[in-house]
């Protein structure tokens, strides 16, 4: 049994190798570029993109510098003098 399998395998290999055919040669034509064709028409304008996301709120700014001192106001009108009224102001040094 062992020798019959080996003998069959050798006979198959010899039979297949005897049927070898030469490879067919196919000539492939080489493409030769021709002159350039005319320019195509301009394409249509694309659609507008979507609006982007809103940005985050910025940081709070620093405190501004102190302002300058304002101008001195105008001097007021002189007051009226008292009529015949005399005001006596007691002295804080009372002698006893």
């Amino acid at each position: 049994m062992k020798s019959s399998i080996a003998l069959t395998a050798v006979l198959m290999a010899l039979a297949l190798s005897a049927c070898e055919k030469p490879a067919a040669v196919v000539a492939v034509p080489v493409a030769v570029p021709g002159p350039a064709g005319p320019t195509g028409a301009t394409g249509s304008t694309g659609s507008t993109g979507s609006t982007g996301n809103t940005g985050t709120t910025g940081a709070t700014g620093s405190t501004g510098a102190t302002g300058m001192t304002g101008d001195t106001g105008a001097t007021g009108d002189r007051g009226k003098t008292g009529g015949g009224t005399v005001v006596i102001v007691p002295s804080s040094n009372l002698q006893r």
Side-chain angles (χ1 to χ4, degrees):
M1 180 76 148
K2 287 183 182 182
S3 63
S4 64
I5 292 175
L7 182 63
T8 306
V10 170
L11 285 176
M12 291 285 281
L14 289 174
L16 289 175
S17 65
C19 296
E20 190 174 319
K21 294 181 181 180
V25 177
V26 178
V28 178
V30 177
V32 177
T39 304
T42 302
S44 60
T45 303
S47 59
T48 303
S50 58
T51 303
N53 296 333
T54 302
T56 58
T57 304
T60 303
S62 58
T63 304
T66 303
M68 296 172 53
T69 304
D71 292 337
T72 303
T75 305
D77 293 338
R78 184 176 180 101
K80 295 180 182 178
T81 58
T85 307
V86 177
V87 177
I88 301 173
V89 179
S91 169
S92 60
N93 278 345
L94 293 177
Q95 294 181 357
R96 295 188 186 195

